[in-house]
């Protein structure tokens, strides 16, 4: 359970103290999240090889799919909004959560391949 919380907080998978990101990003200011190359606490290298985080886009896809399905269920079947309203709300949600999804997907990706052996 502690690993899940550290993963959601984007902490270093090695020491669980250092942060993975120097800037969280802001969609409204057109700034993407900036990731440290190494942990400030234990000097763990986050990107193991060039293109390591390429696979994180599949995690982002899964996150976006889950958010869209949850949004559709909430807005269409529970709140009974029209289909066009549901589609617009889904697109807006995806755009607003894009920087959060990028950070979280990279954190999930690195935790998937981390082993402390």
């Amino acid at each position: 359970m502690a690993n899940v919380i550290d993963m959601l907080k984007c902490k270093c998978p090695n020491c669980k103290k250092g942060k993975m990101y120097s800037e969280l990003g802001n969609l409204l200011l057109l700034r993407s999240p900036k990731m440290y190359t190494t942990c400030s606490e234990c000097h763990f290298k986050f990107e193991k090889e060039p293109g390591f985080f390429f696979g994180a886009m599949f995690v982002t896809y899964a996150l976006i799919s889950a958010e869209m399905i949850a949004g559709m269920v909430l807005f269409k079947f529970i709140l009974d909004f029209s289909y066009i309203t549901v589609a617009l709300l889904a697109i807006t949600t995806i755009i607003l959560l894009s920087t959060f999804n990028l950070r979280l997907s990279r954190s999930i990706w690195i935790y998937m391949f981390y082993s402390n052996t």
Side-chain angles (χ1 to χ4, degrees), residues 3 13 15 18 20 29 36 38 46 48 50 64 67 70-71 73 76 78 90-91 96-98 107 110 114:
N3 278 341
C15 68
M20 290 175 60
L29 298 176
Y36 289 118
T38 59
F46 293 126
K48 298 296 179 197
I64 289 171
E67 291 162 0
V73 168
K76 182 60 187 160
I78 296 175
I91 291 168
L96 291 176
L97 290 176
S98 64
S107 181
I110 199 168
Y114 174 74

Side-chain angles (χ1 to χ4, degrees), residues 9 34 40 68 93 107 112:
K9 289 182 177 181
K34 303 290 183 210
S40 60
M68 285 185 62
T93 302
S107 181
M112 282 173 49

Side-chain angles (χ1 to χ4, degrees), residues 7-62:
M7 181 174 47
L8 293 174
K9 289 182 177 181
C10 297
K11 296 290 185 179
C12 172
N14 190 43
C15 68
K16 313 290 191 276
K17 295 177 186 173
K19 295 179 181 178
M20 290 175 60
Y21 290 92
S22 60
E23 293 180 28
L24 298 180
N26 187 334
L27 178 67
L28 301 176
L29 298 176
L30 301 174
R31 292 186 184 157
S32 63
K34 303 290 183 210
M35 188 174 198
Y36 289 118
T37 54
T38 59
C39 176
S40 60
E41 300 289 326
C42 68
H43 305 292
F44 177 78
K45 186 176 178 183
F46 293 126
E47 189 170 5
K48 298 296 179 197
E49 58 189 25
F52 174 73
F53 289 111
F54 179 73
M57 72 177 184
F58 297 108
V59 178
T60 302
Y61 178 75

